[in-house]
Amino acid sequence: MITVNESYTCLHEDQIQDQSRKIERLEARADFKEKRLDELNDKIDKMDGKLDTIVDTVNDFILQSSQQDNQLEVRLTKVETDMKNQKEEAQRKTVWIGVALTIITILINVYFHMV
């Protein structure tokens, strides 16, 4: 026959075993979650590295674009200056041709009046 004391001890033993099993399950879940968090942190670190690469690439592109814009601006200024110089040169040639034709006309008139 089981005494009250033995029954009480068995009851406590069952509760202790139940609590131990619950603790083991909780520890197992905690270990799983910790591993999962570590995996997620590793993925986040990789993503940070990729984002840094993308940001560096975008910054390089912006810098190159700015440099190319400056180069284009310099080329455009040079082309505008060349066109202005060519226009002035053409105007000077036109003036010289006009003066030369005037002198030739005068010389022809003088020559034919003398003859």
Side-chain angles (χ1 to χ4, degrees):
M1 184 166 182
I2 301 179
T3 65
V4 175
N5 201 12
E6 288 176 356
S7 155
Y8 183 76
T9 304
C10 283
L11 202 84
H12 279 304
E13 286 276 328
D14 288 342
Q15 288 177 345
I16 290 171
Q17 286 178 358
D18 283 344
Q19 293 300 323
S20 292
R21 282 191 292 269
K22 286 180 183 178
I23 290 171
E24 286 174 4
R25 283 194 306 260
L26 288 172
E27 286 175 344
R29 288 180 65 194
D31 287 344
F32 172 78
K33 288 183 178 183
E34 188 175 329
K35 286 178 186 175
R36 184 67 180 138
L37 283 173
D38 288 343
E39 290 172 0
L40 290 174
N41 283 331
D42 289 344
K43 288 182 180 181
I44 288 171
D45 289 342
K46 288 178 184 176
M47 291 295 288
D48 282 343
K50 289 177 182 180
L51 284 175
D52 288 342
T53 302
I54 291 171
V55 167
D56 290 344
T57 302
V58 168
N59 286 337
D60 288 344
F61 176 76
I62 290 170
L63 179 63
Q64 288 176 356
S65 177
S66 175
Q67 290 172 344
Q68 289 173 351
D69 287 349
N70 289 338
Q71 290 172 352
L72 286 174
E73 192 172 324
V74 167
R75 281 193 227 156
L76 179 62
T77 303
K78 185 178 183 238
V79 167
E80 287 174 343
T81 303
D82 289 347
M83 288 178 61
K84 183 179 174 185
N85 289 341
Q86 288 175 358
K87 182 179 177 183
E88 289 173 359
E89 183 66 27
Q91 288 173 344
R92 278 189 290 250
K93 285 181 181 179
T94 304
V95 169
W96 281 109
I97 290 172
V99 169
L101 288 174
T102 303
I103 291 172
I104 290 172
T105 304
I106 291 172
L107 288 175
I108 290 174
N109 283 336
V110 169
Y111 176 75
F112 282 117
H113 283 307
M114 291 174 94
V115 178

